Amino acid sequence: MYEQIQFDVSDGVATIALNRPERLNALTGQMTKEFLDALKRCTRDAGVRCVVITGRGRGFCAGQDLAEFQAVKPPFSVAEHLRRGFNRVVLGLRGLEKPVVGKINGVAAGAGLGLALACDIRLASDQARFTAAFIGIGLAPDTGVSWLLHQLVGPAKAFEILTTGVKVDANEALRLGLVNRVVPADELDAAAAQLAAQYAQAPTRGIGLTKRVLNRVAAMSLAEALEYEAQIQDIAIRTKDHREGVAAFLEKRAPRFIGE
Ligand code: LHQ
């Protein structure tokens, strides 16, 4: 069904794998469309309770496919290209009310860095590298990289990463807070599978509402955030998983969350 990504759902975990390994999974128009379609399926399918984003081969994603971009004929609006493509991908990942695990198997560059940073939690192989790459071709950041990087590492480090084009290795990325965990390359599959399985049995609505809160409070005052948390808790308190969690605690047994 897809040609440039692989999409698979099993045991509540959807995996979207970018699949142009010979180009380090550089993003084409077709790949972006396929990715957006797969994300839509993840949103609609209540059986999907965790999404894993990864790349096939030795790269995670090398950003915009520069050969495809070079071949585009004028007149062409890069702003429209971004609005229709990468911006929707980033907003789709952040707006999806399910946990998104970035399984960062290799280099993440340019828009590929944006894709990695738009995931909720990142597990990186010790072979992963992170580079903004935009400045290498004379560009400013896009695909949310300015905003996401600034949030994760602060303004000074973000400026350095964006303007020097430095390649940040996996251990430095861990130190900076760009990734949550680094594992040896041959342990990445198992570590990501374990984390995804844990999320696929977690209170999905509670996680989705947590994402909603985190997305919104960044632009709020403390007083506004307190009020927004109160409103969201009013929703969370009505979920079946909340009732199950409390019941399990009182009955001194493990909870069985169903994602509702
Ligand atoms: C590629 C690419 C690639 C095509 C590796 N395209 N083939 C938005 C809107 C409009 C315009 C532009 O961009 C954007 C957003 C962006 O994403 S801007 C940033 C675009 N990306 C880059 O500038 C990164 C370019 N790639 C690299 O700097 C390196 O390939 C990295 C650092 C990612 C990896 O380096 P290596 O591990 O040394 O691999 P490599 O360079 O040998 O790449 C392997 C192959 O993949 C190679 O092809 P070949 O035929 O020689 O084996 C590359 O040409 C190809 N490839 N990135 N973005």
Side-chain angles (χ1 to χ4, degrees), residues 145-224:
V145 170
S146 59
W147 196 91
L148 295 161
L149 200 56
H150 179 276
Q151 274 220 329
L152 287 167
V153 302
K157 204 70 201 177
F159 181 83
E160 183 188 340
I161 291 171
L162 287 167
T163 55
T164 64
V166 61
K167 292 188 183 75
V168 176
D169 69 26
N171 286 323
E172 176 72 354
L174 181 64
R175 202 184 63 77
L176 288 172
L178 271 182
V179 300
N180 297 72
R181 212 171 120 202
V182 175
V183 296
D186 62 358
E187 292 173 23
L188 183 64
D189 284 348
Q194 191 186 32
L195 182 63
Q198 182 186 326
Y199 276 134
Q201 292 176 18
T204 313
R205 295 271 292 132
I207 293 175
L209 291 167
T210 301
K211 266 184 91 161
R212 200 187 294 181
V213 170
L214 287 173
N215 282 336
R216 289 284 297 276
V217 294
M220 286 182 183
S221 68
L222 174 60
E224 288 166 337

Side-chain angles (χ1 to χ4, degrees), residues 22-24 58 62-66 69 78 111 129 142 167:
E22 69 293 347
R23 288 282 165 270
L24 304 181
R58 74 177 175 90
Q64 167 70 45
D65 186 302
L66 294 176
F69 191 72
V78 72
R129 286 172 293 154
D142 60 34
K167 292 188 183 75

Side-chain angles (χ1 to χ4, degrees), residues 93-110:
L93 288 167
R94 301 290 286 203
L96 179 66
E97 294 204 340
K98 302 177 182 185
V100 178
V101 175
K103 177 175 153 185
I104 317 298
N105 52 301
V107 68

